[in-house]
Amino acid sequence: MLSSIVVEKVSKRYGDHRALAAVDLTLTAGSVCALLGPNGAGKSTLLGILSTLVRATAGTIGYLEGERRRKLDDRLRADIGLLAHSSLCYGELTAIENLEFFATLYGVPDGAARARTLLDEVGLDARARDRAVRTYSRGMVQRLALARALLARPSLLLLDEPFTGLDRGGALALGARLGQAKADGAIVVCVTHDLEAIAGVTDHVAILVGGKLACDERDPAGYSYAALRERYHHHAG
């Protein structure tokens, strides 16, 4: 598994627009980083770079396994779970068919059993699992997308607004699931505006403002909702 990720002077420009400016950040195994900031701060861009789907304009990212630097190849990408704004699931397939398809791509043994277990964990209604995903509500699609991200037991889990479309119970259950990923030794990075849902599970807070890292701090005891809110308003207004 990945032991750490070291982001060094990472910048990203889209034409004349600067999305990220010389960001330095270290992410460690067994930790949940809440990546916070106002809209347009560069959070999704940084998540895209970490996922290897977006190329940085400048700077480097080291994916480390102990002291060994991992190569940027398909094996590394198979160790990354991503929940993006798009579900990345196929609308004409059922939930089970989607997960079995991705299990085949990732070489997950006993994909059908793994799919059922994950759908139970994310709370997708059993009656909906054999329906085409295009018939799902936003919250149901979000649950399936989370199951897809967790399918290959990634050691790097990247989540972009994962609580969108979930009711309060679903959001709190997802927060608990992130705590389990943390306990399993994964590196979890969660972009969110839902500070209540991430409170208690996150032990690392990184705040981007205008593409720059305005806050980077850790507390092994975790952060309460009040502590997250205070830091957000202090650094991001």
Side-chain angles (χ1 to χ4, degrees):
M1 295 181 67
L2 292 169
S3 56
S4 63
I5 297 173
V6 180
V7 178
E8 296 181 298
K9 305 299 180 188
V10 165
S11 299
K12 179 63 179 179
R13 299 190 71 91
Y14 295 98
D16 293 333
H17 173 65
R18 183 190 67 186
L20 292 173
V23 172
D24 289 318
L25 185 66
T26 298
L27 305 164
T28 56
S31 179
V32 176
C33 175
L35 183 58
L36 310 177
N39 292 335
K43 304 182 300 296
S44 293
T45 297
L46 180 55
L47 217 65
I49 293 172
L50 289 170
S51 74
T52 76
L53 295 178
V54 176
R55 181 175 296 178
T57 304
T60 62
I61 297 184
Y63 299 85
L64 304 179
E65 188 174 306
E67 298 297 320
R68 183 174 69 90
R69 192 182 183 102
R70 294 274 298 271
K71 292 182 180 178
L72 189 60
D73 56 15
D74 289 344
R75 287 187 177 183
L76 173 63
R77 293 186 176 95
D79 213 13
I80 300 173
L82 173 66
L83 192 157
H85 289 295
S86 172
S87 72
L88 306 180
C89 295
Y90 294 94
E92 296 304 317
L93 300 181
T94 68
I96 293 290
E97 288 170 341
N98 264 282
L99 294 186
E100 288 183 343
F101 170 72
F102 285 108
T104 300
L105 289 182
Y106 285 110
V108 177
D110 202 355
R114 175 71 175 154
R116 288 192 296 271
T117 297
L118 282 172
L119 292 176
D120 286 340
E121 287 186 11
V122 300
L124 185 65
D125 191 335
R127 295 169 296 180
R129 298 178 189 183
D130 294 319
R131 283 184 6 224
V133 170
R134 60 178 170 77
T135 68
Y136 285 9
S137 68
R138 180 69 179 89
M140 293 166 68
V141 171
Q142 193 75 343
R143 292 172 191 267
L144 175 59
L146 177 62
R148 181 197 51 73
L150 293 168
L151 187 64
R153 297 180 176 87
S155 60
L156 173 59
L157 184 59
L158 304 172
L159 307 169
D160 200 346
E161 297 293 353
F163 305 103
T164 301
L166 299 180
D167 57 24
R168 181 48 49 189
L172 294 176
L174 173 53
R177 185 62 183 81
L178 300 188
Q180 182 59 56
K182 171 183 174 181
D184 291 340
I187 300 170
V188 181
V189 184
C190 183
V191 171
T192 185
H193 286 94
D194 193 338
L195 302 183
E196 184 179 358
I198 201 72
V201 69
T202 182
D203 58 341
H204 182 187
V205 179
I207 301 176
L208 288 170
V209 178
K212 297 181 179 180
L213 193 63
C215 173
D216 179 15
E217 67 170 66
R218 303 169 190 269
D219 186 344
Y223 291 87
S224 67
Y225 170 64
L228 289 174
R229 184 176 58 183
E230 186 277 327
R231 282 157 178 80
Y232 184 85
H233 287 299
H234 177 74
H235 293 284

